[in-house]
Amino acid sequence: MYFALVTAVFSFFLSATLASAVPQGFVTTNGQEFELDGEPFAFVGSNSFWLPLLTTDTDVDTTFQQIVEGGIKVVRTWGFNAINGSELAGALESNLTYYQVWNSSEWILNDGPQGLERLDNVVETAGKFGIKLIVTFTNNWVGYGGSDLYLAWIGGENCYFLNIIPTLNEYAYLERYVQTIVERYKNSPNIFAWELMNEARCASDTYPSGPNCVPGTETITTWYKEQSDFVRSLDPFHMITTGGEGQFYWKDDTALASDFNFNGQAGEDFDRELFLENIDFGVYHMYPESWYPQALIPGSGFDTGELGPAMAAKQANKPIVLEEFGVKKANKSVIYPGWVQRAEDTKHAIMPWQFGALGLTEDGGNRIIKYTDELLNGASPNDGFAIYKSNTAVWDIFTSAAQVQDSRSG
Ligand SMILES: *[C@@H]1O[C@H](CO)[C@@H](O)[C@H](O)[C@H]1NC(C)=O
Ligand SMILES: *[C@@H]1O[C@H](CO)[C@@H](O)[C@H](O)[C@H]1NC(C)=O
Ligand SMILES: *[C@@H]1O[C@H](CO)[C@@H](O)[C@H](O)[C@H]1NC(C)=O
Ligand SMILES: *[C@@H]1O[C@H](CO)[C@@H](O)[C@H](O)[C@H]1NC(C)=O
């Protein structure tokens, strides 16, 4: 009892000391709001995974210039780009950015001009333009060297995502990489937050859910706890979030029992993960076109999906970000205003997938930067979701929203 009291008093002073020591320019949370230097910080952000894949400083500058014109304050980008040894020759030839290469027995870090120096430039240039970055450490999906590759290359056959094989300890390799990234930028006010994994689920592109990752097993929540505690041990001040899609395990809700986003099958348990000590805010993604056939009809499951994260954030008293969303079949300028309005009503930050830049110069504008994403006629990759400023009907929805968010900020 006495001991517990002393510990409680001590940790109170410790957290008070830490809070007051947050360096200038770092974003923090206060209840359900973000704060920057003691003032509320509400924002419209965007996603640009490809920024560090650009090879010239000019194109990075051009992109940030357009980001600023869009009223955007926070940009989410990939802090990972890993390749395997057999891809190295092609990567060198095409000038592809890569940070790690797997040589069949070891990850070799590339911190040179075709590697982390490009991420350094993105982090530094963001600061020059007054933009803050959410940096994601790895991917649930195979793209850009995600967790599939850690499993495929290190674990081989018969392993499941997040089903760690102790003798191989795939995630020790990931932690070593995470440590490299965090230590590189831990003093930078240009980092908004660290993000553990893009869209962690029990199943990945090539690996099915293992027996340890089924509804109710909390495998992903436990992994989030371990990883967020680890990142916090390296960096006391930057915020940390999951990168998840905002899926739930509402086991008593029979109406949603067949809904992947609520029945726990995905593996996330949004209600619980938001209560983790070192998860500072929640994020959720919204792609109803690929989730629900009836998605665009009011009253469909997607509406519930949007309320779920809002309720969870209120319970946990933490901020929340609609971190990725989009439609590509439906008319964006018809669909987005309603979504943006609801995010504003519930005081969520808004980050559409994805930012579109125009007027890029490199390679005459036709360089395939990986997989099917390419720079075409000076335009950044368009997966059907990109929002370019030339599309004023869509662009203006977000610049107006940015003004609303600005008026709520200090
Ligand atoms: C690769 O990109 C770098 C800039 O990061 C540039 O200096 C170099 O000329 C490029 N190399 C080729 C072969 O395009
Ligand atoms: C390495 O990459 C190549 C090209 O993307 C791919 O075909 C091959 O399967 C990969 N090897 C491993 C072990 O993942
Ligand atoms: C991979 O890199 C490690 C560390 O540099 C080295 O010891 C090992 O021999 C390399 N393996 C291959 C196949 O190149
Ligand atoms: C999308 O909707 C807007 C607003 O109703 C309309 O002006 C525009 O023509 C539509 N675009 C397409 C491609 O249907």
Short mmCIF file of all heavy atoms in Angstrom, two decimals, residues 181-244:
data_model
loop_
_atom_site.label_atom_id
_atom_site.label_comp_id
_atom_site.label_asym_id
_atom_site.label_seq_id
_atom_site.Cartn_x
_atom_site.Cartn_y
_atom_site.Cartn_z
N ILE A 181 15.66 4.43 -37.04
CA ILE A 181 14.84 5.56 -37.51
C ILE A 181 14.53 6.52 -36.37
O ILE A 181 14.68 7.74 -36.50
CB ILE A 181 13.53 5.04 -38.15
CG1 ILE A 181 13.83 4.17 -39.36
CG2 ILE A 181 12.59 6.18 -38.52
CD1 ILE A 181 14.52 4.89 -40.50
N VAL A 182 14.11 5.97 -35.23
CA VAL A 182 13.71 6.83 -34.11
C VAL A 182 14.92 7.65 -33.64
O VAL A 182 14.83 8.86 -33.43
CB VAL A 182 13.11 6.00 -32.97
CG1 VAL A 182 12.90 6.85 -31.73
CG2 VAL A 182 11.78 5.38 -33.41
N GLU A 183 16.06 7.00 -33.51
CA GLU A 183 17.22 7.74 -33.01
C GLU A 183 17.68 8.80 -34.00
O GLU A 183 18.21 9.84 -33.61
CB GLU A 183 18.33 6.77 -32.62
CG GLU A 183 17.91 6.06 -31.34
CD GLU A 183 18.90 5.06 -30.79
OE1 GLU A 183 19.83 4.68 -31.53
OE2 GLU A 183 18.71 4.65 -29.62
N ARG A 184 17.45 8.55 -35.27
CA ARG A 184 17.86 9.51 -36.30
C ARG A 184 17.07 10.83 -36.21
O ARG A 184 17.59 11.89 -36.49
CB ARG A 184 17.63 8.88 -37.67
CG ARG A 184 18.52 9.37 -38.76
CD ARG A 184 18.40 8.44 -39.97
NE ARG A 184 19.13 8.98 -41.10
CZ ARG A 184 20.38 8.64 -41.41
NH1 ARG A 184 21.02 7.75 -40.70
NH2 ARG A 184 20.98 9.19 -42.45
N TYR A 185 15.78 10.72 -35.83
CA TYR A 185 14.93 11.93 -35.87
C TYR A 185 14.30 12.27 -34.52
O TYR A 185 13.37 13.07 -34.47
CB TYR A 185 13.82 11.74 -36.92
CG TYR A 185 14.32 11.32 -38.28
CD1 TYR A 185 13.98 10.08 -38.83
CD2 TYR A 185 15.17 12.16 -39.02
CE1 TYR A 185 14.45 9.69 -40.07
CE2 TYR A 185 15.65 11.77 -40.27
CZ TYR A 185 15.29 10.53 -40.79
OH TYR A 185 15.76 10.15 -42.02
N LYS A 186 14.78 11.66 -33.47
CA LYS A 186 14.07 11.86 -32.19
C LYS A 186 14.09 13.30 -31.70
O LYS A 186 13.21 13.70 -30.93
CB LYS A 186 14.58 10.89 -31.12
CG LYS A 186 15.98 11.16 -30.64
CD LYS A 186 16.46 10.07 -29.71
CE LYS A 186 16.13 10.40 -28.27
NZ LYS A 186 16.82 9.47 -27.37
N ASN A 187 15.04 14.09 -32.13
CA ASN A 187 15.07 15.49 -31.68
C ASN A 187 14.37 16.44 -32.64
O ASN A 187 14.36 17.65 -32.42
CB ASN A 187 16.53 15.95 -31.50
CG ASN A 187 17.22 15.13 -30.42
OD1 ASN A 187 16.60 14.82 -29.39
ND2 ASN A 187 18.45 14.75 -30.66
N SER A 188 13.78 15.89 -33.71
CA SER A 188 13.22 16.78 -34.73
C SER A 188 11.77 17.16 -34.45
O SER A 188 10.89 16.29 -34.35
CB SER A 188 13.29 16.09 -36.10
OG SER A 188 12.62 16.90 -37.05
N PRO A 189 11.49 18.46 -34.40
CA PRO A 189 10.09 18.89 -34.26
C PRO A 189 9.29 18.64 -35.54
O PRO A 189 8.08 18.84 -35.56
CB PRO A 189 10.21 20.40 -33.97
CG PRO A 189 11.53 20.80 -34.54
CD PRO A 189 12.43 19.59 -34.45
N ASN A 190 9.97 18.21 -36.62
CA ASN A 190 9.26 17.96 -37.88
C ASN A 190 8.52 16.62 -37.86
O ASN A 190 7.76 16.34 -38.78
CB ASN A 190 10.22 18.00 -39.07
CG ASN A 190 11.02 19.28 -39.09
OD1 ASN A 190 10.65 20.25 -38.42
ND2 ASN A 190 12.12 19.31 -39.81
N ILE A 191 8.78 15.81 -36.85
CA ILE A 191 8.03 14.56 -36.69
C ILE A 191 6.78 14.84 -35.86
O ILE A 191 6.88 15.34 -34.73
CB ILE A 191 8.88 13.47 -35.99
CG1 ILE A 191 10.18 13.20 -36.75
CG2 ILE A 191 8.06 12.19 -35.79
CD1 ILE A 191 10.01 12.63 -38.15
N PHE A 192 5.63 14.55 -36.44
CA PHE A 192 4.36 14.67 -35.69
C PHE A 192 4.23 13.46 -34.77
O PHE A 192 3.96 13.61 -33.58
CB PHE A 192 3.20 14.70 -36.70
CG PHE A 192 1.83 14.80 -36.08
CD1 PHE A 192 1.30 16.04 -35.73
CD2 PHE A 192 1.06 13.66 -35.87
CE1 PHE A 192 0.03 16.14 -35.17
CE2 PHE A 192 -0.20 13.75 -35.31
CZ PHE A 192 -0.72 14.99 -34.95
N ALA A 193 4.38 12.26 -35.34
CA ALA A 193 4.22 11.03 -34.55
C ALA A 193 4.89 9.86 -35.25
O ALA A 193 5.09 9.88 -36.47
CB ALA A 193 2.73 10.71 -34.36
N TRP A 194 5.21 8.86 -34.47
CA TRP A 194 5.67 7.55 -34.98
C TRP A 194 4.47 6.64 -35.12
O TRP A 194 3.55 6.68 -34.30
CB TRP A 194 6.66 6.91 -34.01
CG TRP A 194 7.87 7.73 -33.71
CD1 TRP A 194 8.27 8.21 -32.50
CD2 TRP A 194 8.87 8.15 -34.64
NE1 TRP A 194 9.45 8.91 -32.62
CE2 TRP A 194 9.84 8.89 -33.92
CE3 TRP A 194 9.05 7.99 -36.03
CZ2 TRP A 194 10.97 9.45 -34.53
CZ3 TRP A 194 10.16 8.55 -36.62
CH2 TRP A 194 11.10 9.27 -35.88
N GLU A 195 4.55 5.78 -36.14
CA GLU A 195 3.44 4.86 -36.36
C GLU A 195 3.99 3.44 -36.53
O GLU A 195 4.91 3.20 -37.30
CB GLU A 195 2.69 5.30 -37.62
CG GLU A 195 1.41 4.57 -37.80
CD GLU A 195 0.57 5.20 -38.90
OE1 GLU A 195 -0.08 6.23 -38.65
OE2 GLU A 195 0.59 4.66 -40.02
N LEU A 196 3.40 2.49 -35.79
CA LEU A 196 4.01 1.16 -35.65
C LEU A 196 3.95 0.32 -36.93
O LEU A 196 4.91 -0.32 -37.31
CB LEU A 196 3.36 0.41 -34.50
CG LEU A 196 3.44 1.15 -33.14
CD1 LEU A 196 2.71 0.35 -32.07
CD2 LEU A 196 4.89 1.41 -32.73
N MET A 197 2.80 0.31 -37.58
CA MET A 197 2.66 -0.52 -38.79
C MET A 197 1.45 -0.04 -39.57
O MET A 197 0.40 0.22 -38.99
CB MET A 197 2.47 -2.00 -38.43
CG MET A 197 2.35 -2.90 -39.65
SD MET A 197 2.09 -4.66 -39.28
CE MET A 197 3.67 -5.14 -38.63
N ASN A 198 1.58 0.05 -40.88
CA ASN A 198 0.42 0.38 -41.68
C ASN A 198 -0.55 -0.80 -41.70
O ASN A 198 -0.19 -1.89 -42.16
CB ASN A 198 0.84 0.73 -43.12
CG ASN A 198 -0.35 1.00 -44.02
OD1 ASN A 198 -1.24 1.78 -43.66
ND2 ASN A 198 -0.41 0.34 -45.16
N GLU A 199 -1.73 -0.59 -41.16
CA GLU A 199 -2.86 -1.53 -41.28
C GLU A 199 -2.56 -2.95 -40.80
O GLU A 199 -2.80 -3.93 -41.52
CB GLU A 199 -3.38 -1.52 -42.73
CG GLU A 199 -3.83 -0.13 -43.13
CD GLU A 199 -4.47 -0.03 -44.51
OE1 GLU A 199 -4.26 -0.91 -45.34
OE2 GLU A 199 -5.19 0.97 -44.73
N ALA A 200 -2.05 -3.04 -39.58
CA ALA A 200 -1.81 -4.37 -39.01
C ALA A 200 -3.12 -5.17 -38.96
O ALA A 200 -4.15 -4.68 -38.51
CB ALA A 200 -1.23 -4.24 -37.60
N ARG A 201 -3.06 -6.36 -39.45
CA ARG A 201 -4.18 -7.31 -39.37
C ARG A 201 -3.59 -8.69 -39.07
O ARG A 201 -2.40 -8.91 -39.30
CB ARG A 201 -4.89 -7.43 -40.72
CG ARG A 201 -5.76 -6.26 -41.08
CD ARG A 201 -6.61 -6.66 -42.28
NE ARG A 201 -7.32 -5.51 -42.85
CZ ARG A 201 -8.13 -5.59 -43.89
NH1 ARG A 201 -8.32 -6.76 -44.49
NH2 ARG A 201 -8.74 -4.53 -44.36
N CYS A 202 -4.44 -9.62 -38.69
CA CYS A 202 -3.95 -10.99 -38.48
C CYS A 202 -3.45 -11.60 -39.78
O CYS A 202 -2.48 -12.33 -39.80
CB CYS A 202 -5.04 -11.87 -37.91
SG CYS A 202 -5.37 -11.54 -36.18
N ALA A 203 -4.16 -11.31 -40.86
CA ALA A 203 -3.74 -11.85 -42.16
C ALA A 203 -3.04 -10.77 -42.95
O ALA A 203 -3.38 -9.59 -42.84
CB ALA A 203 -4.96 -12.35 -42.92
N SER A 204 -2.07 -11.17 -43.74
CA SER A 204 -1.40 -10.19 -44.60
C SER A 204 -1.63 -10.60 -46.05
O SER A 204 -2.50 -11.42 -46.33
CB SER A 204 0.09 -10.17 -44.26
OG SER A 204 0.67 -11.42 -44.58
N ASP A 205 -0.87 -10.04 -46.97
CA ASP A 205 -1.07 -10.40 -48.37
C ASP A 205 -0.85 -11.88 -48.63
O ASP A 205 -1.56 -12.49 -49.40
CB ASP A 205 -0.10 -9.60 -49.26
CG ASP A 205 -0.60 -8.19 -49.52
OD1 ASP A 205 -1.80 -8.02 -49.73
OD2 ASP A 205 0.23 -7.26 -49.53
N THR A 206 0.16 -12.43 -47.99
CA THR A 206 0.50 -13.81 -48.31
C THR A 206 0.35 -14.76 -47.13
O THR A 206 0.37 -15.96 -47.32
CB THR A 206 1.94 -13.91 -48.85
OG1 THR A 206 2.78 -13.12 -48.01
CG2 THR A 206 2.04 -13.40 -50.26
N TYR A 207 0.19 -14.24 -45.92
CA TYR A 207 0.08 -15.11 -44.76
C TYR A 207 -1.33 -15.08 -44.18
O TYR A 207 -1.89 -14.01 -43.96
CB TYR A 207 1.09 -14.70 -43.68
CG TYR A 207 2.50 -15.03 -44.10
CD1 TYR A 207 3.27 -14.11 -44.79
CD2 TYR A 207 3.03 -16.29 -43.87
CE1 TYR A 207 4.54 -14.43 -45.21
CE2 TYR A 207 4.29 -16.62 -44.29
CZ TYR A 207 5.06 -15.69 -44.96
OH TYR A 207 6.30 -16.01 -45.39
N PRO A 208 -1.87 -16.24 -43.91
CA PRO A 208 -3.20 -16.29 -43.30
C PRO A 208 -3.11 -15.99 -41.80
O PRO A 208 -2.01 -15.94 -41.25
CB PRO A 208 -3.62 -17.74 -43.52
CG PRO A 208 -2.32 -18.50 -43.53
CD PRO A 208 -1.29 -17.57 -44.11
N SER A 209 -4.26 -15.79 -41.17
CA SER A 209 -4.27 -15.61 -39.71
C SER A 209 -3.81 -16.90 -39.06
O SER A 209 -4.31 -17.97 -39.39
CB SER A 209 -5.69 -15.34 -39.21
OG SER A 209 -6.22 -14.22 -39.84
N GLY A 210 -2.89 -16.80 -38.16
CA GLY A 210 -2.46 -17.99 -37.43
C GLY A 210 -3.40 -18.28 -36.27
O GLY A 210 -4.26 -17.46 -35.94
N PRO A 211 -3.22 -19.42 -35.62
CA PRO A 211 -4.09 -19.80 -34.49
C PRO A 211 -3.99 -18.83 -33.31
O PRO A 211 -4.91 -18.77 -32.50
CB PRO A 211 -3.58 -21.20 -34.11
CG PRO A 211 -2.25 -21.35 -34.77
CD PRO A 211 -2.24 -20.46 -35.95
N ASN A 212 -2.91 -18.09 -33.23
CA ASN A 212 -2.77 -17.13 -32.13
C ASN A 212 -3.39 -15.78 -32.43
O ASN A 212 -3.30 -14.85 -31.64
CB ASN A 212 -1.29 -16.88 -31.80
CG ASN A 212 -0.62 -18.11 -31.26
OD1 ASN A 212 -1.30 -19.07 -30.89
ND2 ASN A 212 0.70 -18.08 -31.23
N CYS A 213 -3.95 -15.64 -33.63
CA CYS A 213 -4.51 -14.34 -34.00
C CYS A 213 -5.91 -14.56 -34.54
O CYS A 213 -6.14 -14.54 -35.75
CB CYS A 213 -3.60 -13.63 -35.01
SG CYS A 213 -3.77 -11.84 -35.03
N VAL A 214 -6.83 -14.82 -33.63
CA VAL A 214 -8.24 -15.00 -33.97
C VAL A 214 -9.03 -14.10 -33.01
O VAL A 214 -8.45 -13.62 -32.02
CB VAL A 214 -8.68 -16.47 -33.83
CG1 VAL A 214 -7.97 -17.36 -34.84
CG2 VAL A 214 -8.45 -16.98 -32.42
N PRO A 215 -10.31 -13.83 -33.29
CA PRO A 215 -11.05 -12.91 -32.42
C PRO A 215 -10.89 -13.26 -30.94
O PRO A 215 -11.02 -14.41 -30.55
CB PRO A 215 -12.50 -13.11 -32.88
CG PRO A 215 -12.37 -13.46 -34.33
CD PRO A 215 -11.12 -14.29 -34.42
N GLY A 216 -10.54 -12.24 -30.16
CA GLY A 216 -10.43 -12.44 -28.73
C GLY A 216 -9.02 -12.75 -28.24
O GLY A 216 -8.75 -12.70 -27.04
N THR A 217 -8.07 -13.02 -29.14
CA THR A 217 -6.72 -13.38 -28.67
C THR A 217 -5.86 -12.16 -28.34
O THR A 217 -4.82 -12.30 -27.69
CB THR A 217 -5.97 -14.27 -29.69
OG1 THR A 217 -6.06 -13.66 -30.97
CG2 THR A 217 -6.55 -15.67 -29.72
N GLU A 218 -6.25 -11.00 -28.79
CA GLU A 218 -5.53 -9.76 -28.44
C GLU A 218 -4.07 -9.76 -28.90
O GLU A 218 -3.23 -9.07 -28.32
CB GLU A 218 -5.59 -9.49 -26.93
CG GLU A 218 -7.01 -9.27 -26.39
CD GLU A 218 -7.63 -7.96 -26.89
OE1 GLU A 218 -6.88 -7.05 -27.28
OE2 GLU A 218 -8.87 -7.87 -26.91
N THR A 219 -3.76 -10.55 -29.91
CA THR A 219 -2.37 -10.62 -30.37
C THR A 219 -1.87 -9.25 -30.87
O THR A 219 -0.76 -8.83 -30.55
CB THR A 219 -2.24 -11.66 -31.51
OG1 THR A 219 -2.65 -12.90 -30.98
CG2 THR A 219 -0.83 -11.75 -32.04
N ILE A 220 -2.71 -8.58 -31.63
CA ILE A 220 -2.28 -7.29 -32.17
C ILE A 220 -2.20 -6.25 -31.06
O ILE A 220 -1.25 -5.45 -31.01
CB ILE A 220 -3.19 -6.86 -33.34
CG1 ILE A 220 -2.90 -7.78 -34.54
CG2 ILE A 220 -2.97 -5.40 -33.71
CD1 ILE A 220 -3.67 -7.46 -35.80
N THR A 221 -3.16 -6.26 -30.14
CA THR A 221 -3.10 -5.29 -29.03
C THR A 221 -1.81 -5.49 -28.23
O THR A 221 -1.15 -4.51 -27.86
CB THR A 221 -4.32 -5.46 -28.10
OG1 THR A 221 -5.51 -5.42 -28.89
CG2 THR A 221 -4.38 -4.36 -27.06
N THR A 222 -1.46 -6.74 -27.97
CA THR A 222 -0.24 -7.02 -27.22
C THR A 222 1.00 -6.55 -27.99
O THR A 222 1.92 -5.97 -27.41
CB THR A 222 -0.13 -8.55 -26.94
OG1 THR A 222 -1.34 -8.95 -26.31
CG2 THR A 222 1.05 -8.88 -26.07
N TRP A 223 0.99 -6.79 -29.29
CA TRP A 223 2.12 -6.33 -30.11
C TRP A 223 2.21 -4.80 -30.09
O TRP A 223 3.28 -4.24 -29.94
CB TRP A 223 1.96 -6.86 -31.54
CG TRP A 223 3.17 -6.62 -32.39
CD1 TRP A 223 4.33 -7.34 -32.40
CD2 TRP A 223 3.34 -5.57 -33.35
NE1 TRP A 223 5.22 -6.80 -33.30
CE2 TRP A 223 4.64 -5.71 -33.90
CE3 TRP A 223 2.55 -4.51 -33.80
CZ2 TRP A 223 5.15 -4.85 -34.87
CZ3 TRP A 223 3.06 -3.66 -34.76
CH2 TRP A 223 4.35 -3.82 -35.29
N TYR A 224 1.04 -4.13 -30.19
CA TYR A 224 1.04 -2.66 -30.11
C TYR A 224 1.62 -2.21 -28.77
O TYR A 224 2.35 -1.22 -28.71
CB TYR A 224 -0.39 -2.13 -30.22
CG TYR A 224 -0.98 -2.08 -31.61
CD1 TYR A 224 -2.37 -2.06 -31.78
CD2 TYR A 224 -0.19 -2.00 -32.75
CE1 TYR A 224 -2.95 -1.98 -33.04
CE2 TYR A 224 -0.75 -1.94 -34.02
CZ TYR A 224 -2.13 -1.92 -34.16
OH TYR A 224 -2.70 -1.84 -35.40
N LYS A 225 1.27 -2.90 -27.71
CA LYS A 225 1.79 -2.50 -26.39
C LYS A 225 3.31 -2.65 -26.36
O LYS A 225 4.02 -1.72 -25.99
CB LYS A 225 1.15 -3.33 -25.27
CG LYS A 225 1.77 -2.98 -23.93
CD LYS A 225 1.12 -3.58 -22.72
CE LYS A 225 1.97 -3.42 -21.46
NZ LYS A 225 2.83 -2.23 -21.37
N GLU A 226 3.79 -3.81 -26.77
CA GLU A 226 5.25 -4.04 -26.72
C GLU A 226 6.00 -3.02 -27.58
O GLU A 226 7.01 -2.46 -27.17
CB GLU A 226 5.58 -5.44 -27.23
CG GLU A 226 5.18 -6.52 -26.26
CD GLU A 226 5.19 -7.91 -26.89
OE1 GLU A 226 5.60 -8.05 -28.08
OE2 GLU A 226 4.77 -8.84 -26.20
N GLN A 227 5.47 -2.82 -28.78
CA GLN A 227 6.18 -1.93 -29.70
C GLN A 227 6.09 -0.46 -29.27
O GLN A 227 7.07 0.28 -29.40
CB GLN A 227 5.65 -2.09 -31.13
CG GLN A 227 5.91 -3.46 -31.73
CD GLN A 227 7.40 -3.78 -31.83
OE1 GLN A 227 8.16 -3.05 -32.43
NE2 GLN A 227 7.82 -4.87 -31.20
N SER A 228 4.94 -0.06 -28.75
CA SER A 228 4.83 1.36 -28.34
C SER A 228 5.68 1.59 -27.08
O SER A 228 6.30 2.66 -26.95
CB SER A 228 3.38 1.77 -28.14
OG SER A 228 2.73 0.96 -27.18
N ASP A 229 5.75 0.61 -26.19
CA ASP A 229 6.63 0.76 -25.02
C ASP A 229 8.09 0.85 -25.47
O ASP A 229 8.88 1.63 -24.92
CB ASP A 229 6.46 -0.42 -24.04
CG ASP A 229 5.10 -0.41 -23.34
OD1 ASP A 229 4.35 0.58 -23.50
OD2 ASP A 229 4.78 -1.41 -22.65
N PHE A 230 8.42 0.04 -26.46
CA PHE A 230 9.79 0.05 -26.98
C PHE A 230 10.15 1.42 -27.57
O PHE A 230 11.19 2.01 -27.26
CB PHE A 230 9.95 -1.06 -28.04
CG PHE A 230 11.26 -1.03 -28.76
CD1 PHE A 230 12.45 -1.30 -28.10
CD2 PHE A 230 11.31 -0.73 -30.12
CE1 PHE A 230 13.67 -1.27 -28.78
CE2 PHE A 230 12.52 -0.70 -30.81
CZ PHE A 230 13.70 -0.97 -30.13
N VAL A 231 9.24 1.95 -28.40
CA VAL A 231 9.52 3.26 -29.03
C VAL A 231 9.59 4.34 -27.95
O VAL A 231 10.48 5.21 -27.99
CB VAL A 231 8.46 3.60 -30.10
CG1 VAL A 231 8.66 5.00 -30.65
CG2 VAL A 231 8.50 2.57 -31.23
N ARG A 232 8.70 4.25 -26.96
CA ARG A 232 8.73 5.25 -25.88
C ARG A 232 10.05 5.19 -25.12
O ARG A 232 10.57 6.21 -24.68
CB ARG A 232 7.53 5.03 -24.93
CG ARG A 232 7.45 5.96 -23.75
CD ARG A 232 7.33 7.44 -24.16
NE ARG A 232 6.06 7.75 -24.73
CZ ARG A 232 5.91 8.39 -25.91
NH1 ARG A 232 6.95 8.81 -26.59
NH2 ARG A 232 4.70 8.64 -26.39
N SER A 233 10.62 4.00 -24.97
CA SER A 233 11.89 3.88 -24.25
C SER A 233 13.02 4.57 -25.02
O SER A 233 14.03 4.96 -24.43
CB SER A 233 12.24 2.41 -23.99
OG SER A 233 12.70 1.80 -25.19
N LEU A 234 12.84 4.75 -26.32
CA LEU A 234 13.86 5.39 -27.15
C LEU A 234 13.63 6.89 -27.27
O LEU A 234 14.55 7.66 -27.53
CB LEU A 234 13.85 4.81 -28.57
CG LEU A 234 14.05 3.31 -28.73
CD1 LEU A 234 13.77 2.91 -30.18
CD2 LEU A 234 15.48 2.92 -28.35
N ASP A 235 12.36 7.30 -27.18
CA ASP A 235 11.99 8.68 -27.50
C ASP A 235 10.86 9.10 -26.55
O ASP A 235 9.72 8.70 -26.73
CB ASP A 235 11.51 8.74 -28.96
CG ASP A 235 11.08 10.14 -29.38
OD1 ASP A 235 10.90 11.02 -28.52
OD2 ASP A 235 10.90 10.36 -30.60
N PRO A 236 11.19 9.90 -25.54
CA PRO A 236 10.17 10.23 -24.55
C PRO A 236 9.10 11.21 -25.04
O PRO A 236 8.05 11.32 -24.40
CB PRO A 236 10.98 10.85 -23.40
CG PRO A 236 12.24 11.32 -24.02
CD PRO A 236 12.52 10.43 -25.19
N PHE A 237 9.33 11.91 -26.13
CA PHE A 237 8.47 13.06 -26.43
C PHE A 237 7.55 12.95 -27.64
O PHE A 237 6.48 13.52 -27.64
CB PHE A 237 9.31 14.32 -26.57
CG PHE A 237 10.07 14.66 -25.31
CD1 PHE A 237 11.45 14.85 -25.33
CD2 PHE A 237 9.40 14.76 -24.10
CE1 PHE A 237 12.14 15.16 -24.16
CE2 PHE A 237 10.08 15.07 -22.93
CZ PHE A 237 11.46 15.27 -22.96
N HIS A 238 7.98 12.28 -28.70
CA HIS A 238 7.09 12.24 -29.86
C HIS A 238 5.90 11.33 -29.57
O HIS A 238 6.03 10.32 -28.89
CB HIS A 238 7.83 11.71 -31.10
CG HIS A 238 8.71 12.74 -31.74
ND1 HIS A 238 10.08 12.63 -31.77
CD2 HIS A 238 8.41 13.90 -32.36
CE1 HIS A 238 10.59 13.69 -32.39
NE2 HIS A 238 9.60 14.48 -32.76
N MET A 239 4.78 11.69 -30.16
CA MET A 239 3.58 10.86 -30.00
C MET A 239 3.76 9.56 -30.78
O MET A 239 4.56 9.48 -31.72
CB MET A 239 2.36 11.61 -30.52
CG MET A 239 2.07 12.89 -29.76
SD MET A 239 0.55 13.67 -30.34
CE MET A 239 1.02 14.14 -32.01
N ILE A 240 2.99 8.56 -30.37
CA ILE A 240 3.04 7.24 -31.01
C ILE A 240 1.60 6.82 -31.31
O ILE A 240 0.71 6.99 -30.47
CB ILE A 240 3.69 6.20 -30.08
CG1 ILE A 240 5.11 6.64 -29.68
CG2 ILE A 240 3.74 4.82 -30.76
CD1 ILE A 240 5.72 5.83 -28.53
N THR A 241 1.40 6.28 -32.50
CA THR A 241 0.09 5.70 -32.82
C THR A 241 0.27 4.37 -33.53
O THR A 241 1.40 3.96 -33.82
CB THR A 241 -0.79 6.68 -33.62
OG1 THR A 241 -2.13 6.15 -33.68
CG2 THR A 241 -0.26 6.87 -35.04
N THR A 242 -0.84 3.68 -33.77
CA THR A 242 -0.75 2.31 -34.26
C THR A 242 -0.56 2.21 -35.77
O THR A 242 0.23 1.42 -36.24
CB THR A 242 -2.04 1.55 -33.92
OG1 THR A 242 -3.13 2.21 -34.55
CG2 THR A 242 -2.26 1.51 -32.40
N GLY A 243 -1.36 3.01 -36.52
CA GLY A 243 -1.40 2.84 -37.98
C GLY A 243 -2.52 1.90 -38.41
O GLY A 243 -2.64 1.57 -39.59
N GLY A 244 -3.34 1.47 -37.46
CA GLY A 244 -4.41 0.51 -37.76
C GLY A 244 -5.59 1.14 -38.49
O GLY A 244 -5.66 2.36 -38.69
#
